[in-house]
Amino acid sequence: MAKQKTSFFCQECGVESPKWVGQCSSCKKWNTLVEEIVVKDKKNQNTWVESGDNRSNSKKLSEIQDENLARIPMPGKELNRVLGNGLVRGSVSLIAGEPGIGKSTLFLQVALRLQNTKVLYISGEESLEQIKLRAERIGSRNENLYLLAESDTQKIFNEIKKVKPELVIVDSVQTLNTPFVESAPGSVSQVRESAAEFIRFAKATQTPVFIIGHINKDGNIAGPKVLEHMVDTVLQFEGDRHYTYRILRAIKNRFGNASELGIYEMGETGLREIHNPSEILISQRDEVLSGTAIAATMEGARPLLIEVQALVTQAVYGTPQRTVTGFDMRRLQLLLAVLEKRGGFQLGVKDVFLNIAGGLKVEDPAIDLAVLSAILSSYEDMPVKTDYCFVGEVGLSGEIRAVNRIEQRIKEAEKLGFERIFISKYNKSAYLKADHIEIVQLGKVDELYNALF
Ligand code: TYD
Ligand code: MG
């Protein structure tokens, strides 16, 4: 018998190496290389490889059909927006998320609510009975939904040939098993080869495919990271399991804006879309408390008002603690240093805790000003007025910098009934018009203190 060809694959980033090494040459992680058997026989493969014909395949730009015509509207505004206005025919989307976050729920829901579309939902994780239970919980019904509990890709393709679905959902890529690769399901070469078979199928038949993949805690698509560049769209489903909010974020989209996101709430009967997130993310309070400030951020193309909470206390141990949830730790340290140096606040001897309400993770630098306000408010134990709202990035020399899409942010704050919004003085004033909200422009961090209290 001929010797089987094997190779070593990094389980983190998928890099292939002919021999074992302790550290991956690409992602620099240790002990991630695993020996896997490489594809043995590709000849009889039951996938969609187009046969060559004599037609020319190149087209003039003007001859190409408008992509929008080929989009399938999805049930739910949020998903449609994240995908870039509907699902493109023949596209392959990877949905990545931690186990238990709600990926299966979301896509079973999509399958159930897509009326008049023949959907095949393939699960390698749950039995048909389990899926039925879940479907009953969600409560919608689609007579055109076919369920299949199978993980062997060739059997799946045979079934697809019989059912001829208009949309395929694969849950999850880690359970898929192609007979042309010998390593175990979930290993890099299995995941890559199985996904590649579905991609060939999608492109050849113009059937859109959703592939669900589990990721690990760090947010890396471990194993499936290798899929990111193969698929057309990568959607990340994230959220804190202790909260009910879930965010569906496009991190790559060949057919739309890659910074779009949709917000959902996990409830008794599945996921509910949230169309006006600002109203929910700002906690309703009767009392005015110190240490909170509202930031007008942008998530994708949508303005979003969120609450920043800070707690500044006397450090009890030698080294003061800094703890953040939903915000970048290094950014907090930088902002504290700016307050210390430019504002003269003694934060070096204080513990600082920072929290973004609702379990959201925010990367928009425009939140800086609200973070500073929350910290100052807790430091002085003086509340910020509840009808104040903040937007501005803070620079190292204490200057408050202009941010993008300022008009949209102001409009959102105005819509939600805020009376005063603090922004950078460097945001061009010509565009700033508002009837029901007062705009206060600040140049430096020290002006913030006087404006607040
Ligand atoms: P699931 O979709 O199985 O997660 P994933 O596929 O990403 O691993 O979701 C699991 C969680 O969702 C589980 O803890 C139960 C919860 N859930 C609800 O709260 N309400 C519901 O209606 C459903 C179907 C699930
Ligand atoms: Mg699942």
Side-chain angles (χ1 to χ4, degrees):
M1 202 177 102
K3 195 170 173 288
Q4 273 173 329
K5 188 174 178 294
T6 63
S7 209
F8 293 84
F9 291 92
C10 171
Q11 301 295 305
E12 204 67 42
C13 69
V15 131
E16 184 177 350
S17 158
K19 61 179 186 353
W20 190 85
V21 283
Q23 188 186 25
C24 172
S25 59
S26 165
C27 68
K28 305 291 177 217
K29 290 254 167 64
W30 289 91
N31 293 326
T32 53
L33 269 79
V34 170
E35 185 172 22
E36 292 181 8
I37 297 159
V38 188
V39 183
K40 42 173 193 185
D41 177 14
K42 281 205 168 180
K43 262 182 232 141
N44 305 320
Q45 211 161 334
N46 179 12
T47 52
W48 276 257
V49 181
E50 292 271 40
S51 60
D53 57 24
N54 296 329
R55 270 180 298 135
S56 143
N57 282 325
S58 47
K59 278 185 187 163
K60 284 189 197 158
L61 201 52
S62 56
E63 289 169 1
I64 301 171
Q65 269 196 345
D66 190 349
E67 221 173 58
N68 283 330
L69 297 175
R71 283 185 192 239
I72 308 170
M74 290 284 105
K77 259 174 93 188
E78 302 289 298
L79 183 60
N80 270 323
R81 192 189 27 244
V82 174
L83 287 169
N85 208 9
L87 184 62
V88 175
R89 281 189 208 286
S91 67
V92 180
S93 316
L94 174 69
I95 293 89
E98 284 174 24
I101 206 78
K103 303 178 294 298
S104 305
T105 307
L106 179 62
F107 280 88
L108 185 60
Q109 207 166 306
V110 167
L112 285 166
R113 296 197 178 147
L114 255 182
Q115 301 298 328
N116 308 322
T117 307
K118 206 188 246 186
V119 185
L120 179 64
Y121 183 100
I122 302 151
S123 178
E125 300 195 332
E126 288 159 310
S127 66
L128 296 181
E129 291 74 25
Q130 278 173 307
I131 300 173
K132 184 167 172 141
L133 265 182
R134 193 196 293 257
E136 275 166 4
R137 213 168 146 181
I138 294 169
S140 303
R141 198 157 236 207
N142 177 3
E143 286 306 325
N144 283 317
L145 171 60
Y146 291 77
L147 299 167
L148 173 68
E150 181 55 71
S151 55
D152 184 303
T153 56
Q154 301 309 300
K155 289 189 189 147
I156 291 173
F157 286 129
N158 278 332
E159 191 63 27
I160 287 178
K161 279 183 184 152
K162 287 181 218 151
V163 176
K164 299 198 175 58
E166 293 161 90
L167 170 68
V168 174
I169 300 172
V170 183
D171 187 7
S172 67
V173 70
Q174 274 96 346
T175 59
L176 288 181
N177 180 28
T178 166
F180 302 103
V181 173
E182 272 198 4
S183 41
S187 63
V188 170
S189 38
Q190 269 290 352
V191 162
R192 177 162 38 200
E193 188 53 32
S194 311
E197 287 175 15
F198 276 94
I199 292 169
R200 284 195 290 270
F201 155 72
K203 301 298 165 199
T205 60
Q206 284 297 295
T207 312
V209 178
F210 283 115
I211 300 178
I212 294 174
H214 295 292
I215 58 173
N216 59 8
K217 275 264 174 266
D218 319 331
N220 288 329
I221 310 181
K225 185 123 194 127
V226 296
L227 300 183
E228 261 185 58
H229 67 273
M230 297 164 63
V231 298
D232 300 306
T233 305
V234 180
L235 307 182
Q236 192 150 316
F237 203 40
E238 57 189 45
D240 192 320
R241 235 179 301 167
H242 305 294
Y243 291 91
T244 54
Y245 300 112
R246 301 285 182 270
I247 294 175
L248 186 68
R249 200 188 286 275
I251 49 181
K252 165 184 172 177
N253 193 350
R254 286 190 183 144
F255 310 109
N257 187 342
S259 55
E260 282 298 352
L261 96 182
I263 301 183
Y264 297 85
E265 187 176 17
M266 178 66 94
E268 282 295 304
T269 55
L271 289 149
R272 188 173 69 86
E273 299 193 313
I274 294 181
H275 299 302
N276 195 353
S278 299
E279 278 174 8
I280 298 155
L281 293 172
I282 299 170
S283 59
Q284 270 78 42
R285 288 167 292 167
D286 299 329
E287 286 176 87
V288 191
L289 303 169
S290 69
T292 67
I294 308 292
T297 66
M298 296 292 297
E299 279 288 2
R302 265 203 303 182
L304 189 65
L305 264 61
I306 54 168
E307 184 176 307
V308 181
Q309 306 173 331
L311 182 65
V312 180
T313 57
Q314 197 64 37
V316 266
Y317 304 110
T319 319
Q321 295 184 61
R322 274 92 180 79
T323 308
V324 288
T325 336
F327 190 69
D328 182 26
M329 173 71 96
R330 275 171 298 180
R331 188 96 204 141
L332 172 67
Q333 276 160 347
L334 186 151
L335 292 176
L336 291 176
V338 169
L339 271 186
E340 181 117 26
K341 176 99 180 171
R342 311 286 168 197
F345 297 95
Q346 305 282 305
L347 289 155
V349 293
K350 302 278 189 186
D351 286 343
V352 179
F353 304 92
L354 193 79
N355 180 28
I356 308 292
L360 288 189
K361 257 190 233 116
V362 182
E363 276 162 19
D364 183 4
I367 191 180
D368 286 357
L369 200 58
V371 171
L372 287 192
S373 308
I375 292 171
L376 285 180
S377 160
S378 181
Y379 181 90
E380 296 290 354
D381 201 15
M382 289 200 284
V384 174
K385 288 221 177 69
T386 47
D387 45 19
Y388 285 4
C389 174
F390 303 85
V391 49
E393 182 182 347
V394 174
L396 283 185
S397 51
E399 80 276 20
I400 295 163
R401 306 168 59 121
V403 299
N404 61 2
R405 299 182 190 249
I406 189 73
E407 307 87 354
Q408 262 177 290
R409 299 175 197 256
I410 294 174
K411 265 205 203 97
E412 179 78 1
E414 189 179 19
K415 197 173 92 191
L416 288 168
F418 285 86
E419 298 199 337
R420 193 176 286 179
I421 184 165
F422 295 86
I423 70 169
S424 161
K425 77 170 185 197
Y426 304 104
N427 267 115
K428 293 241 179 61
S429 50
Y431 303 114
L432 307 175
K433 265 185 270 132
D435 298 329
H436 305 291
I437 190 165
E438 181 190 348
I439 298 168
V440 181
Q441 296 196 290
L442 303 172
K444 290 231 160 230
V445 165
D446 26 318
E447 295 166 32
L448 176 66
Y449 188 86
N450 297 329
L452 279 180
F453 310 114

